[in-house]
Each structure stands twice: as structure tokens, then as C-alpha cells.
Amino acid sequence: KQEVTQIPAALSVPEGENLVLNCSFTDSAIYNLQWFRQDPGKGLTSLLLIQSSQREQTSGRLNASLDKSSGRSTLYIAASQPGDSATYLCAVLGGNKLVFGAGTILRVKS
Amino acid sequence: ETGVTQSPTHLIKTRGQQVTLRCSSQSGHNTVSWYQQALGQGPQFIFQYYREEENGRGNFPPRFSGLQFPNYSSELNVNALELDDSALYLCASSPDRLLHNSPLHFGNGTRLTVT
């Protein structure tokens, strides 16, 4: 049974800092890994999708890496801004379902 | 392009009652998935529908059922509500049944409270 763990559970940083969110998964038989953002009481917004054959994906200030063999992914956020405050969720695709971690709650202080 | 829309946004029900949640998928998306997100947790897969047929189911009891219509909109029905059913219910759509190449597009969810 696939399990996804995200560390840390919560993170508070000053504006402008670079930061890394971590995601680990137990079963390396995945099709892709996705990072989502969730604002309080809202749905999920897709940030990045990394295919199992890829090592990383970049979008603006975001960079996600994938090491499938070790079951790890990181989301790097450069020059953080208060608008980046949200919950970040990692999910892996196995079969036709996403298995999610519990998320990292990020607060960027101005 | 209209995104995924869900209704209602909030709902309060009593234990034992039945509820129907609705979802309109994004234009051109023939695959709809439903997820349950309890407070402080990640979403959990309930089931997926593709062209009106159930196409995979998570670890949820039969009192959770669904439908997909010819226009690809979908309903989630929950019978005999229990207190633990209180959660945010998320609908997501995709143009890719296998979800390999396209991310899921999520709606804002329906917040269900069971008292």
C-alpha cells in the first residue's frame, strides 16, 4: 500500500527566503508525481507534474525534483513571498488514483 | 474556459440522512474523480468515472456511490451519513483517463458537516 509522507508539517519563514519542502513515498512504481497548492477552504491548484522518467520540472520560482528509486521528491521555492502562504500537497499516481501526503503548511512572513 | 464547479459549497446534514453532491467537469474533460479530505489530512480517493462508467474505487463503503452523465458532469451520493463523513469533498476532472500526462483539475469542494 502506497504511503506518502511530507516533512515538515508546518514551516514559517521570512519573506525572501529560499525554502525546500520534502515528500517521500514507499512504492516506487508510480506513473508521475504532482505538487499542488491549497488555500484555506479551497480546492487544489496543480503546480508541477513530474513524469516517472523525469528528474525535475520548473515553473517560475518553483522547482520540483524526483528521485524515484529512493522514493523522494523536493519542492524548492525561490525568493518566497507572503502570497506563497498556503498548504502544499505532494501526490503520486499509481493506477488511476492519486495518493496524497498530509501536506506542509507554509507561512511566509512579511 | 470554465473550470470545475461544485455545488453546494457548504452543507449541514444529520446523522443517518442522505446527501447528493454535484460537479460540473471542465470543458472537454471526460474523466471525473472524487476525493474526500478530512480536516488536516490529504485528500483520499473515493472513485473515478470515465464515460459514465465507474473506473476505479478507493477504500470506501458501498453507501458512497456516484453517477456520471452524458455531459460528463457527476454526482456523489452518500447514504446513512455518519459523523466521520464530515469533510471537504473534492471533484476533479481530466481529459486523460489514465491521468498520466495531465494533472487533475480540482473544484473548490463541498464542505459537508454531519451533526
Side-chain angles (χ1 to χ4, degrees):
Chain A
K1 178 189 168 189
Q2 178 74 270
E3 292 183 1
V4 179
T5 304
Q6 292 188 243
I7 294 174
L11 184 62
S12 182
V13 300
E15 182 177 5
E17 196 162 292
N18 301 325
L19 57 101
V20 175
L21 308 182
N22 297 291
C23 171
S24 62
F25 48 96
T26 54
D27 185 350
S28 62
I30 63 171
Y31 291 107
N32 62 47
L33 182 145
Q34 301 178 40
W35 283 93
F36 293 89
R37 168 188 172 136
Q38 186 174 31
D39 293 292
K42 298 293 186 183
L44 280 62
T45 300
S46 177
L47 298 174
L48 290 164
L49 183 154
I50 311 177
Q51 299 290 1
S52 61
S53 58
Q54 296 177 319
R55 297 285 293 184
E56 66 177 333
Q57 278 286 346
T58 298
S59 176
R61 295 182 294 109
L62 305 180
N63 176 275
S65 68
L66 173 63
D67 184 342
K68 201 175 80 157
S69 61
S70 68
R72 294 173 190 267
S73 176
T74 60
L75 179 67
Y76 174 83
I77 302 177
S80 59
Q81 303 170 359
D84 294 332
S85 298
T87 297
Y88 290 80
L89 292 153
C90 163
V92 295
L93 181 67
N96 65 345
K97 69 175 185 180
L98 286 172
V99 178
F100 284 85
T104 294
I105 301 171
L106 173 64
R107 181 185 170 213
V108 181
K109 299 172 289 187
S110 58
Chain B
E1 174 176 88
T2 306
V4 178
T5 58
Q6 294 187 242
S7 62
T9 55
H10 296 82
L11 202 51
I12 300 175
K13 289 286 190 178
T14 302
R15 191 171 50 185
Q17 285 187 317
Q18 177 266 343
V19 69
T20 297
L21 310 182
R22 295 178 174 82
C23 171
S24 293
S25 60
Q26 188 162 323
S27 176
H29 289 191
N30 55 22
T31 300
V32 171
S33 303
W34 286 91
Y35 286 79
Q36 179 197 65
Q37 186 177 25
L39 203 59
Q41 298 181 24
Q44 289 200 307
F45 176 71
I46 303 175
F47 42 56
Q48 181 191 82
Y49 277 83
Y50 170 71
R51 293 183 180 269
E52 304 178 58
E53 297 285 330
E54 187 179 288
N55 184 45
R57 187 179 182 92
N59 189 26
F60 280 82
R63 60 189 184 85
F64 285 77
S65 63
L67 280 174
Q68 187 180 32
F69 300 99
N71 66 355
Y72 304 135
S73 65
S74 178
E75 287 182 354
L76 165 64
N77 299 289
V78 187
N79 293 323
L81 285 167
E82 300 177 359
L83 297 179
D84 284 349
D85 295 334
S86 296
L88 181 68
Y89 288 84
L90 295 163
C91 172
S93 71
S94 173
D96 176 8
R97 175 176 67 91
L98 298 178
L99 310 181
H100 289 182
N101 299 310
S102 294
L104 278 173
H105 297 255
F106 282 83
N108 281 332
T110 293
R111 171 71 63 189
L112 173 64
T113 302
V114 182
T115 62

